[in-house]
Short mmCIF file of all heavy atoms in Angstrom, two decimals:
data_model
loop_
_atom_site.label_atom_id
_atom_site.label_comp_id
_atom_site.label_asym_id
_atom_site.label_seq_id
_atom_site.Cartn_x
_atom_site.Cartn_y
_atom_site.Cartn_z
N THR A 1 10.69 19.13 -3.37
CA THR A 1 10.54 19.76 -2.06
C THR A 1 9.86 18.80 -1.09
O THR A 1 9.31 17.77 -1.48
CB THR A 1 9.70 21.05 -2.16
OG1 THR A 1 8.36 20.70 -2.53
CG2 THR A 1 10.30 21.99 -3.20
N LEU A 2 9.90 19.17 0.17
CA LEU A 2 9.24 18.35 1.19
C LEU A 2 7.73 18.31 0.95
O LEU A 2 7.10 17.25 1.11
CB LEU A 2 9.56 18.91 2.58
CG LEU A 2 8.96 18.14 3.77
CD1 LEU A 2 9.41 16.69 3.77
CD2 LEU A 2 9.36 18.82 5.08
N GLU A 3 7.14 19.43 0.56
CA GLU A 3 5.69 19.46 0.28
C GLU A 3 5.34 18.58 -0.90
O GLU A 3 4.28 17.94 -0.93
CB GLU A 3 5.23 20.90 0.03
CG GLU A 3 5.30 21.80 1.26
CD GLU A 3 4.42 21.30 2.40
OE1 GLU A 3 3.34 20.73 2.12
OE2 GLU A 3 4.84 21.46 3.56
N ASP A 4 6.24 18.54 -1.91
CA ASP A 4 6.03 17.62 -3.04
C ASP A 4 5.99 16.18 -2.55
O ASP A 4 5.14 15.38 -2.99
CB ASP A 4 7.15 17.78 -4.07
CG ASP A 4 7.09 19.11 -4.80
OD1 ASP A 4 6.00 19.69 -4.87
OD2 ASP A 4 8.14 19.56 -5.30
N CYS A 5 6.89 15.84 -1.65
CA CYS A 5 6.94 14.48 -1.12
C CYS A 5 5.67 14.15 -0.34
O CYS A 5 5.14 13.04 -0.44
CB CYS A 5 8.18 14.30 -0.24
SG CYS A 5 9.74 14.34 -1.15
N TYR A 6 5.20 15.10 0.45
CA TYR A 6 3.95 14.89 1.19
C TYR A 6 2.80 14.60 0.22
O TYR A 6 2.01 13.67 0.42
CB TYR A 6 3.61 16.12 2.03
CG TYR A 6 4.46 16.33 3.26
CD1 TYR A 6 4.56 17.58 3.86
CD2 TYR A 6 5.15 15.27 3.84
CE1 TYR A 6 5.33 17.77 5.00
CE2 TYR A 6 5.92 15.46 4.97
CZ TYR A 6 6.01 16.71 5.55
OH TYR A 6 6.76 16.90 6.68
N ARG A 7 2.71 15.43 -0.82
CA ARG A 7 1.60 15.29 -1.77
C ARG A 7 1.69 13.96 -2.53
O ARG A 7 0.68 13.24 -2.66
CB ARG A 7 1.63 16.47 -2.76
CG ARG A 7 0.60 16.37 -3.87
CD ARG A 7 0.69 17.58 -4.79
NE ARG A 7 2.03 17.79 -5.29
CZ ARG A 7 2.56 17.13 -6.32
NH1 ARG A 7 1.85 16.19 -6.94
NH2 ARG A 7 3.79 17.39 -6.72
N LEU A 8 2.87 13.63 -3.02
CA LEU A 8 3.04 12.39 -3.79
C LEU A 8 2.81 11.16 -2.91
O LEU A 8 2.22 10.18 -3.36
CB LEU A 8 4.44 12.35 -4.40
CG LEU A 8 4.70 13.37 -5.51
CD1 LEU A 8 6.18 13.37 -5.90
CD2 LEU A 8 3.83 13.08 -6.73
N ALA A 9 3.27 11.23 -1.66
CA ALA A 9 3.08 10.09 -0.76
C ALA A 9 1.60 9.87 -0.49
O ALA A 9 1.13 8.73 -0.43
CB ALA A 9 3.83 10.33 0.55
N ARG A 10 0.85 10.95 -0.33
CA ARG A 10 -0.59 10.83 -0.10
C ARG A 10 -1.28 10.20 -1.31
O ARG A 10 -2.15 9.35 -1.18
CB ARG A 10 -1.19 12.20 0.20
CG ARG A 10 -2.69 12.17 0.44
CD ARG A 10 -3.28 13.56 0.61
NE ARG A 10 -4.72 13.49 0.76
CZ ARG A 10 -5.35 13.35 1.93
NH1 ARG A 10 -4.67 13.29 3.04
NH2 ARG A 10 -6.68 13.29 1.97
N GLU A 11 -0.87 10.64 -2.51
CA GLU A 11 -1.50 10.10 -3.72
C GLU A 11 -1.13 8.64 -3.95
O GLU A 11 -1.95 7.87 -4.48
CB GLU A 11 -1.05 10.93 -4.94
CG GLU A 11 -1.54 12.37 -4.91
CD GLU A 11 -0.94 13.20 -6.02
OE1 GLU A 11 -0.08 12.66 -6.77
OE2 GLU A 11 -1.30 14.39 -6.16
N HIS A 12 0.06 8.25 -3.54
CA HIS A 12 0.55 6.90 -3.84
C HIS A 12 0.24 5.89 -2.75
O HIS A 12 0.18 4.68 -3.04
CB HIS A 12 2.08 6.97 -4.06
CG HIS A 12 2.69 5.66 -4.42
ND1 HIS A 12 2.46 5.03 -5.62
CD2 HIS A 12 3.54 4.85 -3.72
CE1 HIS A 12 3.14 3.89 -5.66
NE2 HIS A 12 3.79 3.75 -4.53
N TYR A 13 0.02 6.34 -1.52
CA TYR A 13 -0.15 5.41 -0.41
C TYR A 13 -1.42 4.58 -0.63
O TYR A 13 -2.50 5.13 -0.87
CB TYR A 13 -0.25 6.19 0.90
CG TYR A 13 0.19 5.39 2.11
CD1 TYR A 13 1.41 4.74 2.14
CD2 TYR A 13 -0.61 5.31 3.24
CE1 TYR A 13 1.83 4.02 3.25
CE2 TYR A 13 -0.21 4.59 4.36
CZ TYR A 13 1.01 3.96 4.35
OH TYR A 13 1.41 3.25 5.45
N PRO A 14 -1.33 3.24 -0.54
CA PRO A 14 -2.48 2.38 -0.88
C PRO A 14 -3.74 2.67 -0.08
O PRO A 14 -4.85 2.53 -0.60
CB PRO A 14 -1.95 0.96 -0.57
CG PRO A 14 -0.47 1.08 -0.68
CD PRO A 14 -0.13 2.46 -0.20
N ILE A 15 -3.59 3.10 1.16
CA ILE A 15 -4.77 3.27 2.02
C ILE A 15 -5.68 4.39 1.52
O ILE A 15 -6.87 4.44 1.87
CB ILE A 15 -4.33 3.54 3.47
CG1 ILE A 15 -5.47 3.21 4.44
CG2 ILE A 15 -3.88 4.97 3.66
CD1 ILE A 15 -5.05 3.27 5.89
N VAL A 16 -5.15 5.29 0.65
CA VAL A 16 -5.97 6.38 0.12
C VAL A 16 -7.14 5.83 -0.70
O VAL A 16 -8.21 6.43 -0.77
CB VAL A 16 -5.10 7.33 -0.74
CG1 VAL A 16 -5.94 8.38 -1.43
CG2 VAL A 16 -4.05 8.01 0.14
N GLN A 17 -6.93 4.67 -1.33
CA GLN A 17 -8.00 4.07 -2.13
C GLN A 17 -9.24 3.77 -1.29
O GLN A 17 -10.36 3.72 -1.81
CB GLN A 17 -7.49 2.80 -2.80
CG GLN A 17 -6.31 3.02 -3.73
CD GLN A 17 -5.73 1.73 -4.26
OE1 GLN A 17 -6.24 0.65 -3.98
NE2 GLN A 17 -4.67 1.83 -5.03
N LYS A 18 -9.06 3.58 0.01
CA LYS A 18 -10.20 3.28 0.88
C LYS A 18 -11.15 4.47 1.00
O LYS A 18 -12.33 4.28 1.32
CB LYS A 18 -9.71 2.86 2.26
CG LYS A 18 -8.96 1.53 2.28
CD LYS A 18 -8.50 1.17 3.68
CE LYS A 18 -9.67 0.88 4.60
NZ LYS A 18 -9.20 0.43 5.94
N LEU A 19 -10.66 5.68 0.75
CA LEU A 19 -11.54 6.86 0.83
C LEU A 19 -12.67 6.75 -0.18
O LEU A 19 -13.83 7.03 0.14
CB LEU A 19 -10.73 8.13 0.60
CG LEU A 19 -9.73 8.52 1.70
CD1 LEU A 19 -8.88 9.71 1.26
CD2 LEU A 19 -10.46 8.85 2.99
N ASP A 20 -12.34 6.33 -1.41
CA ASP A 20 -13.39 6.16 -2.43
C ASP A 20 -14.33 5.02 -2.06
O ASP A 20 -15.55 5.11 -2.27
CB ASP A 20 -12.76 5.88 -3.79
CG ASP A 20 -12.05 7.10 -4.36
OD1 ASP A 20 -12.43 8.22 -3.97
OD2 ASP A 20 -11.13 6.93 -5.17
N LEU A 21 -13.78 3.95 -1.49
CA LEU A 21 -14.62 2.82 -1.10
C LEU A 21 -15.59 3.21 0.00
O LEU A 21 -16.76 2.80 0.00
CB LEU A 21 -13.74 1.65 -0.64
CG LEU A 21 -12.78 1.07 -1.69
CD1 LEU A 21 -11.93 -0.04 -1.08
CD2 LEU A 21 -13.55 0.55 -2.89
N ILE A 22 -15.11 4.02 0.95
CA ILE A 22 -15.99 4.47 2.04
C ILE A 22 -17.10 5.36 1.49
O ILE A 22 -18.26 5.25 1.90
CB ILE A 22 -15.16 5.21 3.10
CG1 ILE A 22 -14.20 4.23 3.80
CG2 ILE A 22 -16.07 5.87 4.13
CD1 ILE A 22 -13.22 4.91 4.74
N THR A 23 -16.76 6.23 0.54
CA THR A 23 -17.77 7.11 -0.06
C THR A 23 -18.83 6.30 -0.79
O THR A 23 -20.04 6.57 -0.67
CB THR A 23 -17.10 8.10 -1.03
OG1 THR A 23 -16.15 8.90 -0.31
CG2 THR A 23 -18.13 9.01 -1.67
N LYS A 24 -18.40 5.31 -1.55
CA LYS A 24 -19.37 4.47 -2.26
C LYS A 24 -20.25 3.70 -1.29
O LYS A 24 -21.46 3.57 -1.50
CB LYS A 24 -18.63 3.50 -3.19
CG LYS A 24 -17.94 4.18 -4.36
CD LYS A 24 -17.20 3.18 -5.23
CE LYS A 24 -16.50 3.87 -6.40
NZ LYS A 24 -15.74 2.92 -7.24
N SER A 25 -19.65 3.18 -0.24
CA SER A 25 -20.42 2.45 0.77
C SER A 25 -21.45 3.37 1.42
O SER A 25 -22.60 2.96 1.67
CB SER A 25 -19.47 1.87 1.83
OG SER A 25 -20.20 1.22 2.84
N GLU A 26 -21.05 4.60 1.70
CA GLU A 26 -21.98 5.57 2.29
C GLU A 26 -23.15 5.85 1.34
O GLU A 26 -24.31 5.92 1.77
CB GLU A 26 -21.25 6.88 2.60
CG GLU A 26 -22.14 7.97 3.17
CD GLU A 26 -21.42 9.29 3.31
OE1 GLU A 26 -20.19 9.33 3.07
OE2 GLU A 26 -22.07 10.29 3.66
N ASP A 27 -22.85 5.99 0.04
CA ASP A 27 -23.91 6.25 -0.94
C ASP A 27 -24.92 5.11 -0.97
O ASP A 27 -26.14 5.35 -1.03
CB ASP A 27 -23.29 6.45 -2.33
CG ASP A 27 -22.48 7.74 -2.43
OD1 ASP A 27 -22.70 8.63 -1.58
OD2 ASP A 27 -21.63 7.83 -3.33
N TYR A 28 -24.43 3.87 -0.93
CA TYR A 28 -25.34 2.72 -0.94
C TYR A 28 -26.19 2.69 0.33
O TYR A 28 -27.39 2.39 0.28
CB TYR A 28 -24.54 1.42 -1.06
CG TYR A 28 -24.01 1.16 -2.46
CD1 TYR A 28 -22.66 0.88 -2.66
CD2 TYR A 28 -24.85 1.19 -3.56
CE1 TYR A 28 -22.17 0.64 -3.93
CE2 TYR A 28 -24.36 0.96 -4.83
CZ TYR A 28 -23.02 0.68 -5.02
OH TYR A 28 -22.54 0.45 -6.28
N THR A 29 -25.56 2.98 1.46
CA THR A 29 -26.31 2.97 2.73
C THR A 29 -27.40 4.03 2.74
O THR A 29 -28.54 3.77 3.17
CB THR A 29 -25.35 3.19 3.91
OG1 THR A 29 -24.33 2.18 3.89
CG2 THR A 29 -26.09 3.10 5.23
N LEU A 30 -27.08 5.23 2.26
CA LEU A 30 -28.08 6.30 2.21
C LEU A 30 -29.20 5.97 1.23
O LEU A 30 -30.37 6.26 1.49
CB LEU A 30 -27.41 7.62 1.81
CG LEU A 30 -26.41 8.20 2.82
CD1 LEU A 30 -25.77 9.47 2.26
CD2 LEU A 30 -27.09 8.51 4.14
#
């Protein structure tokens, strides 16, 4: 389905990995 494609694209898109990096950076700053 189209919603499946949205979900899979979000999980697979490389830029999503930056979310974890930003969270870790925030933890170090705090």
Side-chain angles (χ1 to χ4, degrees):
T1 66
L2 181 57
E3 292 300 325
D4 291 336
C5 292
Y6 287 159
R7 175 179 53 81
L8 291 172
R10 179 185 177 89
E11 295 173 356
H12 182 69
Y13 206 51
I15 201 172
V16 174
Q17 300 174 3
K18 293 180 67 176
L19 291 173
D20 290 335
L21 298 178
I22 293 172
T23 300
K24 291 179 180 179
S25 177
E26 178 187 355
D27 291 341
Y28 284 128
T29 303
L30 293 177

